[in-house]
Amino acid sequence: MTISDTFQQAFLSIRSQILRAALIVLAMSIGIASVTILTTLGESARRYIVNEFQSLGTNLVIVLPGRTETTGGQPPLFGETPRDLTLDDANALLKSRYVAAIAPINVGSAPVSSLGLERETTILGSTASLRRVRHLKMAEGRFLPDIESDKSLPVCVIGQTIKREIFAKQKALGQWMRINDRRFRVIGVLASEGESIGVDFDEIVVIPVASAQALFNTESLFRILVEAKSKSAMYKAVGDIGKIIEIRHEGEEDITIITQDSVIGAFDEILTALTLTVASIAAISLAVAGVLVMNVMLVSVAQRTSEIGLLKALGASESQLIGLFLAEAAILCLAGAVIGMLVGQFVVSVLQIIYPEFPLLIPGWALMAALLVSLTTGLIFGVFPARKAARLDAVLALAKH
Amino acid sequence: MIQLNNIYRDFQVGDQTVQALNNINLTINQGEYISVMGPSGSGKSTLLNIIALLDHPTSGQYLFNNQDVTKLDDNALAKIRRENIGFVFQFFHLIPRLTAAENIEMPMILAGINRRQRQQRVKQAVASVGLSDRASHLPEQLSGGQRQRVAIARATIMRPGILLADEPTGNLDSHSGIEIIELLEALNKSGMLLIIITHDHHLGKRAQRRIHIIDGKIAPEK
Ligand SMILES: Nc1ncnc2c1ncn2[C@@H]1O[C@H](COP(=O)(O)OP(=O)(O)OP(=O)(O)O)[C@@H](O)[C@H]1O
Ligand SMILES: [Mg+2]
């Protein structure tokens, strides 16, 4: 018996019991649709967040003052007062041959104003490298000039919101802007980043780090952004940074180093686990569908007992009969899977229309998995009824009608 | 062609053993025309089922073309059935969702014969049983006699050497019964071994060889 004949006969027998077939297809398609939709939501959330973190920079390492993890050992005698990170610390990091660029960052809040328009905003002190490290794009003008980091300069780069609110009636570029009581000339406007994790650069004013230190009257840095030369250099850079700071801080590595990778990795893991959990819960409905397949097939075998006996008398072997019944189960489950995927696709499209800013994408692996799972479910739960049919006693089966 | 030696067939019903066949010894040659008669429950169907390889004897030896078939596995038995044995039943046993032509085609599908050849042979077979204009009818749209003719076409489509019929006229009026018997006899004339179980003595007498079974034993042949 050829494969195509097997499937054709299976198809004919399905066609003669439409209601029963519809039941299986319905159950299977509900399972597949829910798996597709839920994995799509989970996977899209994961991609969204990972992308956000990735757009922060390339091979990024973040150095924070103070140690956040507990190290055990003797409790410190004078309490935990970590040394500040200074500009010199930051510049020293360039000694590592795995470091491509560094951007020291100093943060404070101050009122900014021009021609009577005023608001409070975040002031970020940094260097020309910040643009590279943090992947910033310019809308107008230029970024901070590449000068010695300890030189102050009365220039600033502003975000889109600042431009809109402070320079509502005039061109921003080239104007003077007051920050606290100092005057800075606007030399550039940042392009809008859209929604982003972390700092909202639309609402920020960037000035040279030395100017910020003077403005806020502090030597200490908020953090240092480091770009490693490559992904593999990132971990070596982490080691170097630790050592360099340790030497500069009298033998104490009192900093916390975060790699972009580890943050992304952590989120990736959490969200993947979440997606899989949700998908497994949805997969329970597939198992239910499988049980239904078995039930319906058992009824089918019982109703077609005499037909099975006849096929045996005509020379059907046990394996041919198993093949026939499994083909039926496979066709029904695949039909359910295809319909389920279409329904899933439809629901995802509708969701995409409702939430256009959240990019939804049905993951290819989820489709493959759904197909595979439905097929295996159908076959596994179909095997028992099929074997039952194949093992029927031909004479007894023929006697039934 | 068929040789049965000391065949027994017991059925266990509760704690009682029913001896359906009791030491059957029988040799059947190619092309014979045999009728099997006997009272109800005497073991006629059981004998035919064993010859058809649908049932297994409890003990004894069955030589089919000199090959001991009692020890063959399911696959081998199915192949022998497919290629050598046609079976006609009292209750026709047509598959209700398939047309007359599709029912006739079924043994060839199981045998893996290609579509073009199948269609050609079905066409001939339908014509040979006089049902060319009914080929696309479903069984429920056919009369009893027509259904049995479809069943005969199906049983012979693989051109088997053996045709077994268990009360093929049992469900038919006498007129269509005679038609069916004549059709079977024509097939026998073309060389097929024909064994018919019947309760009808007139029909039974038409066979050259008559076997009487009583209580699971073959009565001495006259
Ligand atoms: N599956 C079975 N289980 C138990 N007993 C059976 C079974 N099949 C047949 N028998 C018994 O075996 C004996 C022979 O049965 P068989 O069907 O061969 O008779 P038969 O000659 O064909 O009768 P009939 O003319 O009524 O068709 C009967 O007593 C019957 O009850
Ligand atoms: Mg009988």
Side-chain angles (χ1 to χ4, degrees):
Chain A
M1 194 169 187
T2 64
I3 303 252
S4 79
D5 281 330
T6 304
F7 274 94
Q8 196 189 351
Q9 290 305 316
F11 178 74
L12 286 175
S13 111
I14 288 170
R15 215 179 52 180
S16 69
Q17 26 189 344
I18 282 297
L19 201 68
R20 202 179 296 159
L23 198 64
I24 293 186
V25 170
L26 179 70
M28 201 45 97
S29 61
I30 289 173
I32 294 293
S34 47
V35 169
T36 314
I37 294 166
L38 290 174
T39 45
T40 299
L41 291 181
E43 175 68 6
S44 299
R46 186 190 70 80
R47 291 161 71 99
Y48 181 73
I49 289 177
V50 167
N51 271 341
E52 286 292 308
F53 274 100
Q54 248 150 12
S55 70
L56 290 182
T58 315
N59 309 322
L60 198 60
V61 178
I62 302 163
V63 184
L64 312 168
R67 220 166 172 41
T68 48
E69 30 187 356
T70 44
T71 44
Q74 297 254 317
L77 274 178
F78 305 102
E80 190 77 20
T81 43
R83 277 170 210 77
D84 290 340
L85 275 177
T86 63
L87 256 175
D88 290 337
D89 287 337
N91 289 330
L93 297 184
L94 281 171
K95 277 187 286 190
S96 163
R97 61 194 178 89
Y98 300 113
V99 169
I102 59 143
I105 289 183
N106 201 340
V107 180
S109 183
V112 297
S113 62
S114 173
L115 291 182
L117 291 174
E118 178 176 324
R119 63 163 283 175
E120 184 88 8
T121 197
T122 308
I123 312 296
L124 206 142
S126 192
T127 61
S129 311
L130 178 68
R131 185 181 174 193
R132 163 185 177 171
V133 173
R134 195 51 187 69
H135 291 183
L136 297 176
K137 290 192 186 64
M138 302 304 295
E140 298 169 49
R142 47 189 295 268
F143 198 66
L144 297 179
D146 194 0
I147 52 167
E148 295 285 318
S149 59
D150 54 357
K151 292 273 183 307
S152 56
L153 204 66
V155 294
C156 67
V157 175
I158 61 175
Q160 288 290 339
T161 311
I162 303 295
K163 178 192 167 190
R164 196 161 5 95
E165 292 184 2
I166 303 294
F167 298 99
K169 302 179 214 105
Q170 51 175 331
K171 207 168 163 296
L173 214 58
Q175 297 298 323
W176 288 98
M177 186 170 80
R178 200 168 268 285
I179 305 179
N180 257 353
D181 48 1
R182 292 165 197 243
R183 296 207 311 159
F184 290 81
R185 191 182 286 282
V186 178
I187 57 167
V189 180
L190 292 169
S192 184
E193 278 199 327
E195 272 181 57
S196 161
I197 295 176
V199 202
D200 184 355
F201 273 88
D202 286 353
E203 301 221 349
I204 246 171
V205 175
V206 187
I207 59 176
V209 64
S211 308
Q213 283 180 324
L215 195 65
F216 300 119
N217 192 24
T218 171
E219 286 283 292
S220 77
L221 294 177
F222 175 61
R223 61 191 52 175
I224 306 170
L225 302 183
V226 179
E227 185 181 320
K229 283 194 173 139
S230 67
K231 206 174 170 84
S232 55
M234 197 153 68
Y235 301 98
K236 295 178 180 137
V238 168
D240 279 4
I241 291 168
K243 272 184 228 129
I244 292 168
I245 298 291
E246 196 177 330
I247 293 165
R248 296 181 55 84
H249 286 191
E250 290 141 13
E252 247 188 279
E253 200 188 316
D254 52 358
I255 49 167
T256 301
I257 306 174
I258 302 170
T259 60
Q260 185 186 15
D261 239 31
S262 65
V263 176
I264 293 175
F267 271 98
D268 204 10
E269 240 168 70
I270 293 169
L271 289 165
T272 304
L274 198 73
T275 304
L276 289 180
T277 311
V278 166
S280 325
I281 293 171
I284 292 175
S285 58
L286 281 178
V288 173
V291 173
L292 195 69
V293 169
M294 180 157 79
N295 243 318
V296 170
M297 297 288 294
L298 280 176
V299 173
S300 171
V301 169
Q303 286 190 347
R304 286 155 66 194
T305 302
S306 86
E307 179 188 325
I308 293 163
L310 168 78
L311 288 176
K312 285 192 155 195
L314 295 182
S317 63
E318 286 186 10
S319 48
Q320 283 178 329
L321 285 168
I322 289 180
L324 270 174
F325 278 89
L326 284 188
E328 258 181 60
I331 291 174
L332 291 173
C333 291
L334 279 181
V338 169
I339 292 177
M341 279 191 238
L342 291 178
V343 170
Q345 183 96 55
F346 175 76
V347 172
V348 168
S349 308
V350 169
L351 285 176
Q352 187 69 91
I353 292 168
I354 301 175
Y355 305 105
E357 50 314 318
F358 183 62
L360 288 172
L361 193 88
I362 299 182
W365 62 263
L367 288 185
M368 288 312 293
L371 262 180
L372 220 72
V373 168
S374 89
L375 200 58
T376 9
T377 320
L379 292 185
I380 287 173
F381 286 93
V383 161
F384 176 62
R387 283 169 71 107
K388 201 175 144 100
R391 298 267 165 85
L392 280 178
D393 181 286
V395 176
L396 287 181
L398 278 166
K400 217 174 157 186
H401 53 87
Chain B
M1 186 165 213
I2 290 170
Q3 193 173 345
L4 301 176
N5 298 326
N6 310 107
I7 293 287
Y8 289 82
R9 179 64 169 108
D10 300 341
F11 289 106
Q12 204 69 40
V13 182
D15 48 5
Q16 269 195 317
T17 305
V18 180
Q19 277 207 328
L21 295 179
N22 188 354
N23 196 15
I24 297 282
N25 290 284
L26 188 62
T27 303
I28 301 169
N29 299 310
Q30 208 152 357
E32 280 195 87
Y33 176 13
I34 300 172
S35 65
V36 180
M37 285 179 287
S40 188
S42 57
K44 304 181 296 292
S45 295
T46 306
L47 175 64
L48 211 66
N49 289 333
I50 283 180
I51 291 175
L53 298 169
L54 287 174
D55 197 2
H56 304 282
T58 311
S59 69
Q61 191 188 37
Y62 178 4
L63 298 178
F64 186 94
N65 286 334
N66 299 321
Q67 183 190 15
D68 187 351
V69 291
T70 40
K71 296 188 175 58
L72 292 180
D73 67 2
D74 167 74
N75 248 324
L77 290 177
K79 186 165 153 53
I80 295 179
R81 276 202 299 272
R82 200 152 64 215
E83 292 171 356
N84 301 285
I85 300 169
F87 209 118
V88 178
F89 309 89
Q90 179 180 356
F91 296 103
F92 322 128
H93 280 300
L94 300 179
I95 298 176
R97 63 172 177 278
L98 301 181
T99 63
E102 286 166 343
N103 267 289
I104 294 169
E105 192 183 2
M106 188 54 84
M108 292 191 288
I109 292 176
L110 294 172
I113 292 170
N114 72 49
R115 195 171 300 260
R116 189 152 13 92
Q117 206 180 339
R118 283 194 326 240
Q119 261 149 18
Q120 206 179 330
R121 270 162 73 171
V122 166
K123 218 169 154 194
Q124 286 171 6
V126 168
S128 73
V129 294
L131 286 175
S132 292
D133 52 340
R134 298 286 151 89
S136 58
H137 286 210
L138 292 172
E140 61 186 18
Q141 298 162 329
L142 300 172
S143 74
Q146 288 169 333
R147 285 183 212 183
Q148 197 60 302
R149 275 190 273 165
V150 171
I152 291 170
R154 179 181 63 189
T156 53
I157 193 78
M158 291 293 293
R159 298 172 189 142
I162 302 169
L163 187 54
L164 308 175
D166 192 346
E167 300 188 42
T169 62
N171 249 359
L172 301 175
D173 60 73
S174 57
H175 175 70
S176 7
I178 288 292
E179 274 183 7
I180 290 300
I181 290 295
E182 280 169 354
L183 182 55
L184 291 173
E185 286 173 353
L187 288 161
N188 169 248
K189 291 235 165 60
S190 74
M192 249 178 233
L193 162 58
L194 176 64
I195 305 178
I196 300 180
I197 294 179
T198 180
H199 281 289
D200 185 327
H201 280 273
H202 295 290
L203 293 184
K205 281 205 180 100
R206 294 168 73 119
Q208 287 109 36
R209 185 175 168 193
R210 293 150 215 164
I211 294 175
H212 289 267
I213 297 190
I214 297 160
D215 283 342
K217 287 184 196 280
I218 296 180
E221 290 182 45
K222 288 162 219 159

